[in-house]
Amino acid sequence: MTVQRSEPVSVWHLGAPLGEGPVWVQRDRALWFTDIKSHRIHRFDPATQVKTSWEAPDQVGFALPIAGGGFVAGLKTGLARFDERSGSFTPLADPEPGLPDNRLNDGTVDPHGRLWFGTMDDHEAAETGSIWRLHADGSCVAESPNYSITNGPALSPDGRILYHTDTLGGFIYACDVAEDGTLSNRRVFATIPNEEGYPDGPTVDAAGCVWTGLYKGWAVRRYSPAGELLETIRFPVSAITKIAFGGRDLKTVFATTANKHCSPADLEAEPRAGDLFSFDVDVPGLPGVEVSVGI
């Protein structure tokens, strides 16, 4: 079944070097996302078309809502509480104090309100990145082997399967999630050859299907829960980093993109690289969960 109902169109001409971390915040009825390399957090209200931005103190991979207000931001220096009203950032935890060349890259919240996030080598070479979970006591627990570029995680609708990506390796992995949050039974969910694009951020829809942006692949892909490729949605730009489902019925897909790899000639060929895009689908996404554990 084809779920795409419209073609991707640019809704915010940002030209972001590295747009990332889109998340629909229901209490705000808006899409939040980041531009990692420009140290920016962005908010887009599709109903009013209002666009708002905040400057972060360093590279910022994600901003996820906290129960009761505010956000958890994933900075190069670790987790911080972000208050959108004042624009302030308050440090919370540094999972890798001994790895100054690493940065936080992508994150999500599971059905229990637990924050999951990945780290990566900022030079995109050394295998020093991991998938982490914020523990109830505020500490961070590593839950994966090391990769140079991690992406995800993302959770199945019941929260029992966690997906994460080894971007340079071209693998999307699936793991079983225990009640206490520990992972087991890591297995390859999908393999994407580098010549087809690099799997970037994964997202799961209400049918349990896994979507992934393709960096340098000009598309996003949708896989069945069994790992079968179901659909490929083409974009007018080459680097799609991640999607999020939003809107009144969670059937509007928003996609962040990047242009940091683009030469002047590339930018002439894809002038919308780095923009925020949207398109409509027939299968909705999952309602967002706010962080409530360890905060």
Side-chain angles (χ1 to χ4, degrees), residues 25 32 44 46 52 57 81-82 103 107 119 164 178-179 201 203 207 221 235 243:
V25 179
W32 291 71
F44 174 65
T52 313
R81 182 186 288 269
F82 165 56
R103 65 171 174 82
T119 59
H164 67 276
E179 282 297 317
T203 308
R221 288 182 175 181
F235 275 68
I243 70 156

PDB file of all heavy atoms in Angstrom, residues 25 32 44 46 52 57 81-82 103 107 119 164 178-179 201 203 207 221 235 243:
ATOM      1  N   VAL A  25       5.465  18.731  18.885  1.00  0.00           N
ATOM      2  CA  VAL A  25       5.150  18.945  20.293  1.00  0.00           C
ATOM      3  C   VAL A  25       3.665  19.275  20.386  1.00  0.00           C
ATOM      4  O   VAL A  25       3.234  20.368  20.015  1.00  0.00           O
ATOM      5  CB  VAL A  25       6.020  20.066  20.894  1.00  0.00           C
ATOM      6  CG1 VAL A  25       5.664  20.288  22.363  1.00  0.00           C
ATOM      7  CG2 VAL A  25       7.505  19.713  20.756  1.00  0.00           C
ATOM      8  N   TRP A  32       9.271  21.308  16.309  1.00  0.00           N
ATOM      9  CA  TRP A  32      10.548  21.797  16.800  1.00  0.00           C
ATOM     10  C   TRP A  32      11.665  20.993  16.142  1.00  0.00           C
ATOM     11  O   TRP A  32      11.535  19.776  15.940  1.00  0.00           O
ATOM     12  CB  TRP A  32      10.641  21.659  18.316  1.00  0.00           C
ATOM     13  CG  TRP A  32       9.716  22.576  19.067  1.00  0.00           C
ATOM     14  CD1 TRP A  32       8.359  22.475  19.152  1.00  0.00           C
ATOM     15  CD2 TRP A  32      10.082  23.724  19.828  1.00  0.00           C
ATOM     16  NE1 TRP A  32       7.847  23.499  19.926  1.00  0.00           N
ATOM     17  CE2 TRP A  32       8.882  24.288  20.358  1.00  0.00           C
ATOM     18  CE3 TRP A  32      11.294  24.339  20.124  1.00  0.00           C
ATOM     19  CZ2 TRP A  32       8.881  25.416  21.155  1.00  0.00           C
ATOM     20  CZ3 TRP A  32      11.300  25.465  20.931  1.00  0.00           C
ATOM     21  CH2 TRP A  32      10.098  25.997  21.438  1.00  0.00           C
ATOM     22  N   PHE A  44       8.376  25.749  14.201  1.00  0.00           N
ATOM     23  CA  PHE A  44       7.529  26.084  13.062  1.00  0.00           C
ATOM     24  C   PHE A  44       6.083  25.755  13.406  1.00  0.00           C
ATOM     25  O   PHE A  44       5.752  24.623  13.747  1.00  0.00           O
ATOM     26  CB  PHE A  44       7.954  25.297  11.823  1.00  0.00           C
ATOM     27  CG  PHE A  44       7.046  25.471  10.642  1.00  0.00           C
ATOM     28  CD1 PHE A  44       6.924  26.704  10.017  1.00  0.00           C
ATOM     29  CD2 PHE A  44       6.307  24.401  10.154  1.00  0.00           C
ATOM     30  CE1 PHE A  44       6.072  26.876   8.925  1.00  0.00           C
ATOM     31  CE2 PHE A  44       5.461  24.558   9.067  1.00  0.00           C
ATOM     32  CZ  PHE A  44       5.349  25.797   8.453  1.00  0.00           C
ATOM     33  N   PRO A  46       2.658  25.347  11.763  1.00  0.00           N
ATOM     34  CA  PRO A  46       2.076  25.243  10.418  1.00  0.00           C
ATOM     35  C   PRO A  46       0.735  25.952  10.279  1.00  0.00           C
ATOM     36  O   PRO A  46       0.363  26.348   9.172  1.00  0.00           O
ATOM     37  CB  PRO A  46       1.926  23.734  10.215  1.00  0.00           C
ATOM     38  CG  PRO A  46       1.896  23.154  11.580  1.00  0.00           C
ATOM     39  CD  PRO A  46       2.746  24.039  12.433  1.00  0.00           C
ATOM     40  N   THR A  52      10.138  30.666  14.548  1.00  0.00           N
ATOM     41  CA  THR A  52      10.874  31.238  15.675  1.00  0.00           C
ATOM     42  C   THR A  52      12.173  30.461  15.859  1.00  0.00           C
ATOM     43  O   THR A  52      12.209  29.244  15.646  1.00  0.00           O
ATOM     44  CB  THR A  52      10.037  31.162  16.969  1.00  0.00           C
ATOM     45  OG1 THR A  52       8.715  31.617  16.711  1.00  0.00           O
ATOM     46  CG2 THR A  52      10.653  32.000  18.069  1.00  0.00           C
ATOM     47  N   PRO A  57      24.106  27.380  23.024  1.00  0.00           N
ATOM     48  CA  PRO A  57      25.501  27.693  23.360  1.00  0.00           C
ATOM     49  C   PRO A  57      26.520  26.863  22.603  1.00  0.00           C
ATOM     50  O   PRO A  57      27.718  27.173  22.648  1.00  0.00           O
ATOM     51  CB  PRO A  57      25.574  27.406  24.864  1.00  0.00           C
ATOM     52  CG  PRO A  57      24.483  26.435  25.125  1.00  0.00           C
ATOM     53  CD  PRO A  57      23.387  26.778  24.156  1.00  0.00           C
ATOM     54  N   ARG A  81      18.819  21.506  30.187  1.00  0.00           N
ATOM     55  CA  ARG A  81      17.419  21.928  30.196  1.00  0.00           C
ATOM     56  C   ARG A  81      17.324  23.269  29.458  1.00  0.00           C
ATOM     57  O   ARG A  81      18.022  24.231  29.791  1.00  0.00           O
ATOM     58  CB  ARG A  81      16.912  22.084  31.630  1.00  0.00           C
ATOM     59  CG  ARG A  81      15.425  22.486  31.711  1.00  0.00           C
ATOM     60  CD  ARG A  81      15.031  22.756  33.149  1.00  0.00           C
ATOM     61  NE  ARG A  81      14.961  21.521  33.926  1.00  0.00           N
ATOM     62  CZ  ARG A  81      13.859  20.791  34.072  1.00  0.00           C
ATOM     63  NH1 ARG A  81      12.725  21.177  33.504  1.00  0.00           N
ATOM     64  NH2 ARG A  81      13.889  19.694  34.808  1.00  0.00           N
ATOM     65  N   PHE A  82      16.460  23.302  28.458  1.00  0.00           N
ATOM     66  CA  PHE A  82      16.256  24.507  27.661  1.00  0.00           C
ATOM     67  C   PHE A  82      14.902  25.112  28.000  1.00  0.00           C
ATOM     68  O   PHE A  82      13.875  24.429  27.924  1.00  0.00           O
ATOM     69  CB  PHE A  82      16.334  24.162  26.173  1.00  0.00           C
ATOM     70  CG  PHE A  82      15.802  25.223  25.254  1.00  0.00           C
ATOM     71  CD1 PHE A  82      16.298  26.517  25.281  1.00  0.00           C
ATOM     72  CD2 PHE A  82      14.796  24.916  24.337  1.00  0.00           C
ATOM     73  CE1 PHE A  82      15.802  27.491  24.422  1.00  0.00           C
ATOM     74  CE2 PHE A  82      14.298  25.880  23.483  1.00  0.00           C
ATOM     75  CZ  PHE A  82      14.800  27.177  23.523  1.00  0.00           C
ATOM     76  N   ARG A 103      29.894  14.538  20.207  1.00  0.00           N
ATOM     77  CA  ARG A 103      28.741  15.402  20.434  1.00  0.00           C
ATOM     78  C   ARG A 103      27.478  14.559  20.443  1.00  0.00           C
ATOM     79  O   ARG A 103      27.458  13.429  19.922  1.00  0.00           O
ATOM     80  CB  ARG A 103      28.631  16.493  19.377  1.00  0.00           C
ATOM     81  CG  ARG A 103      28.353  16.003  17.947  1.00  0.00           C
ATOM     82  CD  ARG A 103      28.056  17.167  17.023  1.00  0.00           C
ATOM     83  NE  ARG A 103      27.921  16.782  15.631  1.00  0.00           N
ATOM     84  CZ  ARG A 103      26.830  16.290  15.078  1.00  0.00           C
ATOM     85  NH1 ARG A 103      25.754  16.058  15.823  1.00  0.00           N
ATOM     86  NH2 ARG A 103      26.788  15.980  13.795  1.00  0.00           N
ATOM     87  N   GLY A 107      17.821  12.005  19.318  1.00  0.00           N
ATOM     88  CA  GLY A 107      17.197  11.481  20.527  1.00  0.00           C
ATOM     89  C   GLY A 107      15.719  11.216  20.339  1.00  0.00           C
ATOM     90  O   GLY A 107      15.103  11.648  19.372  1.00  0.00           O
ATOM     91  N   THR A 119      25.335   9.504  20.691  1.00  0.00           N
ATOM     92  CA  THR A 119      26.497  10.375  20.570  1.00  0.00           C
ATOM     93  C   THR A 119      27.307   9.927  19.362  1.00  0.00           C
ATOM     94  O   THR A 119      27.133   8.820  18.849  1.00  0.00           O
ATOM     95  CB  THR A 119      27.383  10.321  21.829  1.00  0.00           C
ATOM     96  OG1 THR A 119      27.830   8.969  22.042  1.00  0.00           O
ATOM     97  CG2 THR A 119      26.616  10.792  23.052  1.00  0.00           C
ATOM     98  N   HIS A 164      18.030   1.659  16.076  1.00  0.00           N
ATOM     99  CA  HIS A 164      19.069   2.678  15.985  1.00  0.00           C
ATOM    100  C   HIS A 164      19.955   2.386  14.782  1.00  0.00           C
ATOM    101  O   HIS A 164      19.954   1.272  14.250  1.00  0.00           O
ATOM    102  CB  HIS A 164      19.890   2.779  17.275  1.00  0.00           C
ATOM    103  CG  HIS A 164      20.736   1.583  17.566  1.00  0.00           C
ATOM    104  ND1 HIS A 164      20.247   0.460  18.195  1.00  0.00           N
ATOM    105  CD2 HIS A 164      22.043   1.339  17.331  1.00  0.00           C
ATOM    106  CE1 HIS A 164      21.208  -0.422  18.345  1.00  0.00           C
ATOM    107  NE2 HIS A 164      22.325   0.081  17.816  1.00  0.00           N
ATOM    108  N   ALA A 178      13.801  -4.317  27.545  1.00  0.00           N
ATOM    109  CA  ALA A 178      13.239  -4.881  28.769  1.00  0.00           C
ATOM    110  C   ALA A 178      12.491  -3.801  29.546  1.00  0.00           C
ATOM    111  O   ALA A 178      12.609  -2.608  29.264  1.00  0.00           O
ATOM    112  CB  ALA A 178      14.349  -5.470  29.631  1.00  0.00           C
ATOM    113  N   GLU A 179      11.733  -4.216  30.545  1.00  0.00           N
ATOM    114  CA  GLU A 179      10.962  -3.255  31.341  1.00  0.00           C
ATOM    115  C   GLU A 179      11.848  -2.210  32.002  1.00  0.00           C
ATOM    116  O   GLU A 179      11.456  -1.060  32.170  1.00  0.00           O
ATOM    117  CB  GLU A 179      10.151  -3.995  32.406  1.00  0.00           C
ATOM    118  CG  GLU A 179       8.887  -4.655  31.878  1.00  0.00           C
ATOM    119  CD  GLU A 179       7.888  -3.656  31.331  1.00  0.00           C
ATOM    120  OE1 GLU A 179       7.680  -2.612  31.980  1.00  0.00           O
ATOM    121  OE2 GLU A 179       7.340  -3.887  30.246  1.00  0.00           O
ATOM    122  N   GLY A 201      18.283   9.607  10.469  1.00  0.00           N
ATOM    123  CA  GLY A 201      17.397   9.413  11.610  1.00  0.00           C
ATOM    124  C   GLY A 201      16.195   8.531  11.301  1.00  0.00           C
ATOM    125  O   GLY A 201      15.495   8.748  10.313  1.00  0.00           O
ATOM    126  N   THR A 203      12.299   6.943  12.287  1.00  0.00           N
ATOM    127  CA  THR A 203      11.039   7.316  12.933  1.00  0.00           C
ATOM    128  C   THR A 203      10.042   6.196  12.679  1.00  0.00           C
ATOM    129  O   THR A 203      10.070   5.573  11.617  1.00  0.00           O
ATOM    130  CB  THR A 203      10.487   8.636  12.357  1.00  0.00           C
ATOM    131  OG1 THR A 203      11.508   9.633  12.401  1.00  0.00           O
ATOM    132  CG2 THR A 203       9.284   9.129  13.136  1.00  0.00           C
ATOM    133  N   ALA A 207       1.578   2.196  12.309  1.00  0.00           N
ATOM    134  CA  ALA A 207       1.518   0.810  11.839  1.00  0.00           C
ATOM    135  C   ALA A 207       2.773   0.029  12.218  1.00  0.00           C
ATOM    136  O   ALA A 207       2.894  -1.150  11.878  1.00  0.00           O
ATOM    137  CB  ALA A 207       1.318   0.775  10.328  1.00  0.00           C
ATOM    138  N   ARG A 221      12.793   6.478   3.125  1.00  0.00           N
ATOM    139  CA  ARG A 221      12.270   5.130   2.894  1.00  0.00           C
ATOM    140  C   ARG A 221      11.382   4.706   4.055  1.00  0.00           C
ATOM    141  O   ARG A 221      11.591   5.119   5.195  1.00  0.00           O
ATOM    142  CB  ARG A 221      13.416   4.123   2.742  1.00  0.00           C
ATOM    143  CG  ARG A 221      14.181   4.251   1.447  1.00  0.00           C
ATOM    144  CD  ARG A 221      15.262   3.178   1.349  1.00  0.00           C
ATOM    145  NE  ARG A 221      15.930   3.212   0.052  1.00  0.00           N
ATOM    146  CZ  ARG A 221      16.894   2.382  -0.311  1.00  0.00           C
ATOM    147  NH1 ARG A 221      17.308   1.436   0.542  1.00  0.00           N
ATOM    148  NH2 ARG A 221      17.460   2.473  -1.506  1.00  0.00           N
ATOM    149  N   PHE A 235      12.892  13.300  -2.990  1.00  0.00           N
ATOM    150  CA  PHE A 235      12.989  14.702  -2.619  1.00  0.00           C
ATOM    151  C   PHE A 235      13.783  15.468  -3.680  1.00  0.00           C
ATOM    152  O   PHE A 235      14.587  14.881  -4.410  1.00  0.00           O
ATOM    153  CB  PHE A 235      13.704  14.849  -1.272  1.00  0.00           C
ATOM    154  CG  PHE A 235      12.822  14.703  -0.068  1.00  0.00           C
ATOM    155  CD1 PHE A 235      12.259  13.473   0.251  1.00  0.00           C
ATOM    156  CD2 PHE A 235      12.553  15.787   0.752  1.00  0.00           C
ATOM    157  CE1 PHE A 235      11.450  13.327   1.366  1.00  0.00           C
ATOM    158  CE2 PHE A 235      11.737  15.654   1.868  1.00  0.00           C
ATOM    159  CZ  PHE A 235      11.181  14.434   2.176  1.00  0.00           C
ATOM    160  N   ILE A 243      12.550  12.501   9.667  1.00  0.00           N
ATOM    161  CA  ILE A 243      11.180  12.971   9.548  1.00  0.00           C
ATOM    162  C   ILE A 243      10.492  12.927  10.913  1.00  0.00           C
ATOM    163  O   ILE A 243      10.939  12.248  11.841  1.00  0.00           O
ATOM    164  CB  ILE A 243      10.356  12.143   8.540  1.00  0.00           C
ATOM    165  CG1 ILE A 243      10.094  10.725   9.089  1.00  0.00           C
ATOM    166  CG2 ILE A 243      11.030  12.087   7.180  1.00  0.00           C
ATOM    167  CD1 ILE A 243       8.895  10.046   8.513  1.00  0.00           C
TER     168      ILE A 243
END
